[in-house]
Amino acid sequence: QVQLLETGGGLVQAGGSVRLSCTASGRTGRMYTMAWFRRTPIQEREFVAAISWPGSSTYDADSVKGRFTISGDNAKNTVYLQINSLKPEDTAVYYCAFGLRGRPTYPSDPSEYTYWGQGTQVTVSS
């Protein structure tokens, strides 16, 4: 079992920044992928970004390139999502996900991930 704890989020003004964190605990192993998805009024589950270990390979959705940056600390089993230049359409519940493969075939596919966090709300005011 793996547990995920997400922190960060909240109410942010448009143009501002926010940093989300997600820490995995339990039987994580050494090869895994952690990702961020978000739920918006338009999409139930939209892939945002992922990072896999070993190697720290990253995967980003085209829609967020340039504003969203995923990073992580393998030693801490923690992944971060830095979001800059926030827009009202970034308002969403952001979910952390954990996959048991270090080289995901389709990192944007929710089925790659076995464990999910509770989600953290990011609200961007205009």
Side-chain angles (χ1 to χ4, degrees), residues 16-37:
S17 299
V18 69
R19 189 193 198 203
L20 309 181
S21 300
C22 175
T23 299
S25 60
R27 296 190 172 190
T28 61
R30 297 181 63 185
M31 297 174 62
Y32 56 85
T33 299
M34 294 181 73
W36 290 98
F37 288 77

Side-chain angles (χ1 to χ4, degrees), residues 4 9 45 56 75 90 92 101:
L4 301 173
R45 199 171 298 183
S56 300
D90 293 322
R101 294 202 292 176

Side-chain angles (χ1 to χ4, degrees), residues 33-34 47-61 65 68-72 79-80 104 107:
T33 299
M34 294 181 73
F47 171 73
V48 175
I51 184 168
S52 63
W53 287 284
S56 300
S57 297
T58 60
Y59 315 87
D60 303 297
K65 284 185 187 294
F68 289 46
T69 303
I70 191 169
S71 61
V79 62
Y80 307 99

Side-chain angles (χ1 to χ4, degrees), residues 29-107:
R30 297 181 63 185
M31 297 174 62
Y32 56 85
T33 299
M34 294 181 73
W36 290 98
F37 288 77
R38 63 183 181 181
R39 176 168 56 86
T40 70
I42 300 174
Q43 283 189 269
E44 177 64 24
R45 199 171 298 183
E46 178 188 11
F47 171 73
V48 175
I51 184 168
S52 63
W53 287 284
S56 300
S57 297
T58 60
Y59 315 87
D60 303 297
D62 289 340
S63 61
V64 303
K65 284 185 187 294
R67 296 193 300 119
F68 289 46
T69 303
I70 191 169
S71 61
D73 186 334
N74 186 215
K76 296 180 180 180
N77 296 329
T78 298
V79 62
Y80 307 99
L81 184 67
Q82 178 71 36
I83 310 174
N84 298 325
S85 302
L86 279 158
K87 304 176 181 180
E89 51 264 42
D90 293 322
T91 294
V93 179
Y94 286 77
Y95 294 92
C96 178
F98 185 97
L100 296 170
R101 294 202 292 176
R103 289 186 174 88
T105 303
Y106 301 106

